[in-house]
Amino acid sequence: MLDQVEVEVRAGAGGAGCVSFHREKFVPLGGPDGGNGGRGGHVSALATAQTNTLNRYRHTRRIDAKAGQPGESNNRHGRAGEDTILDVPAGTVVIRLSAQDEPEEVIADLRTDGQVALLARGGRGGRGNTYFKNSINQAPRVAQRGHRGETVRLRLELRLIADVGVVGLPNAGKSTLLRALSAARPRVGEYPFTTLEPALGVVAVGWGEFVLADLPGLIEGAAEGVGLGHDFLRHTARTRLLLHLIDGSVTDPVGAYDTICHELEAYSAELARRPQLVVINKIDLDDVGARRADIEAAFRARDIQPLFVSAAAGIGARELAERCARNLQEVREAIPAVPRELPIIKPKADSRRFHVHQESDGVYRVAGAQIETFVEMMDMENELSREEAYRWLARRGVVAALRRAGVQAGDRVRVGDIEWEWEQ
């Protein structure tokens, strides 16, 4: 099972606005009627029960949404670009990556079937020349190009959603225990690392049930990525109860227990504090049965009361399932109820706000979301488009702010990714 991939998602660019004038018989001088371009398609993630791995993205390096369609005459707006939806299994965490591919921010934690998260927003469609008509310029020959969509580097991590996670060294009998407690049929073998990927099973106890996860075996150094390392430990993050399974036939069962505890602590202190049940497996073997009292005494010295089972023979399996169910109920009851609070409504940031400053290279920088988007959508190399941009900037106070900052004709002005020579 592939449980981690890195992809780049690109939302669609907006469609270009249209330059058009109304023309029909007996109306030789019709006004502008160029429509706006459609917005670019968004990229979203959808948690679905129809898949349980990220295999479909194994060889995918980039995912693109469709661009918006350009506007047309008669004030016909372009069609919005088709959205792209990534189907991911429930339990997927979406993490934004930096330019160096380092984790930056968790964008979404998709835990339930049907949950949706917007990953990259499509670009705005450009305005047609109808938008630029005013009392001064009644026949504008200017339209905007579409704005680019967002581009984001992401890591998709699948973290199993299970109530109980079985941890232990390789060949401790975790897969056999899952087969004994549930209808799941993971592969079982008499050699280490039979389980290379997690497996889930539903365990029924009375009228209730819980989800049990058979997780790949740990070895010393797993917290640093040795062996299956983080590929295993990631899946313990959501479990409420850890079932610590130990092979009773090993020379030092307590040492095996300490190895796993050390790796859990090194990976996450919170994980190491999670409720645990210590279970000694293979009690059906003669040498384990003969050493049972000694093993129990060694753990009691640590203030631990171990349970004894034989996953292969089914000895103690039902009692273990009932004990897990009781402990889970205690864990749920121990979680304090969160009082329902009214949502805090925060005012939306004013995208019209901007500020002007002179950068170290002498260029005057205008920073502000709405200003940057507008200028980036204008063709500042075109004289007519540039004149229209000056008028728009003047109406919003940007020209006055630049003059107060000391800008002169011939100086360079930078807005977003666009830089040009100031003419006023």
Side-chain angles (χ1 to χ4, degrees):
M1 178 179 72
L2 188 66
D3 58 5
Q4 178 175 299
V5 295
E6 292 183 5
V7 295
E8 181 177 272
V9 298
R10 295 186 179 184
C18 175
V19 176
S20 173
F21 294 90
H22 185 68
R23 293 291 182 266
E24 64 175 301
K25 192 175 183 180
F26 307 122
V27 187
L29 299 176
D33 67 350
N36 300 335
R39 70 153 175 85
H42 303 317
V43 180
S44 302
L46 168 66
T48 173
Q50 303 305 312
T51 182
N52 56 12
T53 77
L54 297 170
N55 275 327
R56 65 179 62 190
Y57 308 113
R58 177 189 296 272
H59 302 297
T60 302
R61 293 293 174 263
R62 198 176 86 190
I63 296 172
D64 297 320
K66 300 292 185 181
Q69 297 298 307
E72 299 180 13
S73 59
N74 290 328
N75 289 313
R76 288 176 295 181
H77 299 325
R79 180 181 299 174
E82 183 180 351
D83 296 339
T84 296
I85 298 178
L86 281 61
D87 289 337
V88 298
T92 298
V93 177
V94 184
I95 303 170
R96 189 200 313 274
L97 300 178
S98 66
Q100 293 74 36
D101 283 345
E102 293 297 324
E104 223 175 35
E105 175 192 5
V106 174
I107 295 178
D109 188 352
L110 305 173
R111 299 192 179 199
T112 58
D113 185 34
Q115 195 173 353
V116 179
L118 179 64
L119 306 181
R121 192 180 300 275
R124 282 179 51 181
R127 294 184 174 96
N129 65 334
T130 303
Y131 172 82
F132 296 99
K133 178 183 176 182
N134 54 50
S135 58
I136 298 174
N137 186 7
Q138 296 194 24
R141 298 181 178 277
V142 174
Q144 288 180 315
R145 54 194 171 203
H147 199 248
R148 63 182 181 276
E150 293 179 338
T151 297
V152 189
R153 286 280 301 160
L154 299 174
R155 177 180 298 158
L156 308 180
E157 288 187 1
L158 175 58
R159 300 176 183 176
L160 291 182
I161 299 177
D163 299 302
V164 181
V166 185
V167 300
L169 293 172
N171 214 32
K174 297 181 294 296
S175 298
T176 305
L177 182 64
L178 180 63
R179 293 169 66 97
L181 295 179
S182 73
R185 289 295 174 263
R187 186 175 59 174
V188 175
E190 291 298 325
Y191 49 90
F193 296 114
T194 305
T195 302
L196 298 178
E197 57 190 43
L200 296 176
V202 177
V203 182
V205 180
W207 294 101
E209 60 185 23
F210 61 86
V211 178
L212 180 70
D214 163 29
L215 302 169
L218 280 176
I219 62 174
E220 191 170 357
E224 286 74 45
V226 177
L228 298 176
H230 294 165
D231 292 337
F232 153 77
L233 288 164
R234 182 184 308 119
H235 294 293
T236 63
R238 299 194 195 278
T239 54
R240 297 173 182 265
L241 176 67
L242 294 179
L243 198 160
H244 195 140
L245 192 65
I246 299 170
D247 182 354
S249 64
V250 299
T251 305
D252 184 9
V254 175
Y257 169 80
D258 288 339
T259 297
I260 302 304
C261 289
H262 174 75
E263 297 307 325
L264 294 175
E265 177 71 36
Y267 183 76
S268 166
E270 187 277 332
L271 181 62
R273 292 192 298 270
R274 198 154 299 172
Q276 289 189 25
L277 282 177
V278 176
V279 181
I280 309 301
N281 190 23
K282 304 184 182 179
I283 191 62
D284 57 314
L285 300 180
D286 293 339
D287 60 330
V288 179
R291 297 168 53 212
R292 174 170 179 164
D294 295 335
I295 295 173
E296 187 170 4
F299 278 99
R300 279 182 174 273
R302 298 282 192 91
D303 200 24
I304 298 171
Q305 178 59 58
L307 303 176
F308 289 84
V309 302
S310 169
I315 299 172
R318 182 47 45 192
E319 292 78 3
L320 175 58
E322 292 172 354
R323 177 66 180 275
C324 287
R326 289 198 303 272
N327 283 32
L328 279 173
Q329 184 60 32
E330 293 171 2
V331 170
R332 295 188 183 104
E333 291 174 354
I335 298 175
V338 179
R340 188 176 184 275
E341 298 179 355
L342 293 175
I344 299 174
I345 301 176
K346 298 180 180 179
K348 187 178 180 180
D350 188 353
S351 63
R352 297 171 297 178
R353 296 178 65 88
F354 66 91
H355 67 274
V356 177
H357 65 277
Q358 190 173 16
E359 298 186 327
S360 58
D361 58 0
V363 176
Y364 288 86
R365 162 76 72 178
V366 182
Q370 188 185 66
I371 307 298
E372 291 175 10
T373 299
F374 180 86
V375 172
E376 288 176 350
M377 295 172 70
M378 300 296 289
D379 181 6
M380 298 302 284
E381 299 296 323
N382 179 281
E383 183 178 355
L384 292 176
S385 180
R386 193 165 57 249
E387 289 176 358
E388 195 61 55
Y390 279 128
R391 283 192 286 269
W392 189 90
L393 292 171
R395 290 196 298 269
R396 280 151 183 82
V398 178
V399 172
L402 280 166
R403 287 173 178 162
R404 287 195 299 271
V407 72
Q408 301 289 331
D411 289 339
R412 303 295 295 179
V413 174
R414 185 180 296 140
V415 180
D417 295 333
I418 306 298
E419 183 179 321
W420 77 97
E421 185 178 297
W422 191 254
E423 299 172 347
Q424 296 192 356

